[in-house]
Amino acid sequence: MIADRVREYIVEIEKSSVSNKEELEAFRMRFISKKGVLTELFDGLKSAPAEDRRALGQELNALKNLAQDRFKEFNETIENGSEKELSATVDLSLPVTPGEQGALHPLSIVKRRIIEIFERMGFNVSYGPEIEKDWYNFSALNFADNHPAREMQDTFFISKSEVATREDVLLRTHTSNVQVRLMERQKPPIRSIMPGRVFRNEAISARAHCVFHQVEGLYIDRSVSFKDLKDTLYHFAKEMFGKDTKIRLRPSYFPFTEPSAEIDVSCFICGGSGCNICKHSGWVEIGGSGMVDPNVLENCGIDSNEYTGFAFGMGVERITMLRYGINDLRLFTENDIRFIRQFQGA
Ligand code: DAH
């Protein structure tokens, strides 16, 4: 019985052919798989008369080898076939279509330029965390607990207690947090700029956004004066906006500086005669500045009798908008490559 079936299967296998993967799989299922005829025949061997078993076993093994060899053959033919098909459709000698090239974001271009100018004046670059403790964003910077100045900057809190504590966690509202971290870990002289992303709970519009960028600056040493601040900002403005640029420091208030001043530069679009960008005033504001409040120095472990310093903070979006005449903040975050491409080499 078994011997007859073996002969039939040998004929069947020799005659069979496959032309695709599905047929190959059907062949495998029929002969080789655990549920295939070979398994069944080997099982049947147990009930065959003892004296025939040896001979039958040999025949079955031969059948098994035949099935496996055929399977290998079929498999190779199909694989080669698909390679041939592929090379018939892909012409490897065709010239390559170049991939689309990206471009530096205008904010990155301006940030790099700001860094470059200050680095040449001897400032190094420091970074700090965007998720920050109240202490670094407010308390160490001389914002009294519950002082309304905290409301100047609509804060995104991550964890907040009833009464403000130094342990509250928030998204930093300015890069001034890095000043504190730097002063805590480094002895003067300190001369550093700190670029970074900041967050405020503001409705998004052409003129306001909840995420934007600042570059903070800090210079602490013996006898640093307001004149040093003025000279530094003046040099920066000329390098950034052109050699005829003037600056104006307008009295202002920040808890962490005393005295404090708003930084204006003469409008480089109209040269000061008045235009839409400067709202016909001849001046545009780019940031805040001042002499570091002695309380801040003391909070950070620096002796305010020995050292003085100046600090400033500027808006990168603001400078970029002025420089390129961009009138809507939202363009920066829409990621439209056509917008971003316009600033290369500008
Ligand atoms: N932190 C201020 C703001 O975000 C900007 C600023 C003003 C930074 C004066 C300073 C400074 O370091 O001295 O509005």
Side-chain angles (χ1 to χ4, degrees), residues 28-272:
R28 193 188 67 81
M29 289 296 285
R30 175 150 172 77
F31 294 104
I32 302 172
S33 81
K34 285 227 171 68
K35 292 183 185 146
V37 293
L38 273 161
T39 313
E40 187 199 328
L41 290 174
F42 274 108
D43 283 348
L45 205 57
K46 289 175 210 143
S47 43
E51 62 276 19
D52 296 343
R53 262 186 227 157
R54 206 179 132 84
L56 278 175
Q58 279 173 353
E59 277 186 50
L60 279 184
N61 275 329
L63 179 67
K64 185 175 156 194
N65 288 340
L66 178 68
Q68 281 174 344
D69 288 349
R70 286 293 270 173
F71 177 78
K72 252 200 219 159
E73 240 173 74
F74 291 154
N75 194 25
E76 275 166 23
T77 327
I78 286 179
E79 295 277 300
N80 288 343
S82 52
E83 256 171 47
K84 263 189 218 133
E85 257 170 52
L86 189 70
S87 62
T89 53
V90 179
D91 181 354
L92 296 175
S93 66
L94 274 177
V96 181
T97 327
E100 288 212 19
Q101 221 184 351
L104 269 187
H105 195 284
L107 292 177
S108 304
I109 298 175
V110 168
K111 184 183 78 181
R112 287 185 185 195
R113 179 78 188 124
I114 298 174
I115 291 176
E116 197 178 79
I117 296 170
F118 281 105
E119 272 183 340
R120 270 198 243 133
M121 283 192 265
F123 284 74
N124 62 15
V125 184
S126 313
Y127 296 95
E130 293 176 349
I131 299 174
E132 190 53 288
K133 283 191 180 157
D134 169 286
W135 169 253
Y136 293 101
N137 197 78
F138 289 130
S139 300
L141 288 163
N142 205 31
F143 285 77
D145 294 348
N146 298 321
H147 190 283
R150 282 170 195 256
E151 258 109 74
M152 267 165 53
Q153 307 178 340
D154 302 303
T155 311
F156 284 118
F157 282 95
I158 290 174
S159 70
K160 185 177 185 338
S161 27
E162 278 295 295
V163 183
T165 79
R166 293 165 180 200
E167 294 303 310
D168 286 347
V169 180
L170 44 84
L171 296 183
R172 67 174 173 193
T173 57
H174 51 186
T175 41
S176 310
N177 66 323
V178 195
Q179 282 192 28
V180 180
R181 290 186 169 270
L182 206 57
M183 286 190 274
E184 275 186 357
R185 67 166 190 258
Q186 194 187 313
K187 270 182 158 298
I190 297 172
R191 191 155 40 170
S192 195
I193 55 163
M194 300 147 249
R197 197 158 55 150
V198 302
F199 308 83
R200 292 187 198 178
N201 191 1
E202 303 220 23
I204 296 171
S205 71
R207 312 216 129 248
H209 208 290
C210 54
V211 183
F212 53 101
H213 299 78
Q214 292 185 332
V215 174
E216 188 87 8
L218 180 69
Y219 178 27
I220 313 252
D221 205 345
R222 289 193 179 88
S223 45
V224 173
S225 70
F226 199 86
K227 179 185 183 296
D228 297 319
L229 169 65
K230 240 170 113 177
D231 284 346
T232 306
L233 294 175
Y234 186 36
H235 179 76
F236 165 75
K238 284 189 292 185
E239 289 288 306
M240 187 79 202
F241 303 111
K243 64 177 179 11
D244 296 327
T245 311
K246 308 246 173 317
I247 62 162
R248 181 173 79 171
L249 295 176
R250 239 176 329 113
S252 184
Y253 170 77
F254 299 103
F256 34 92
T257 43
E258 184 58 39
S260 304
E262 224 80 58
I263 312 163
D264 292 345
V265 295
S266 56
C267 182
F268 42 90
I269 308 283
C270 63

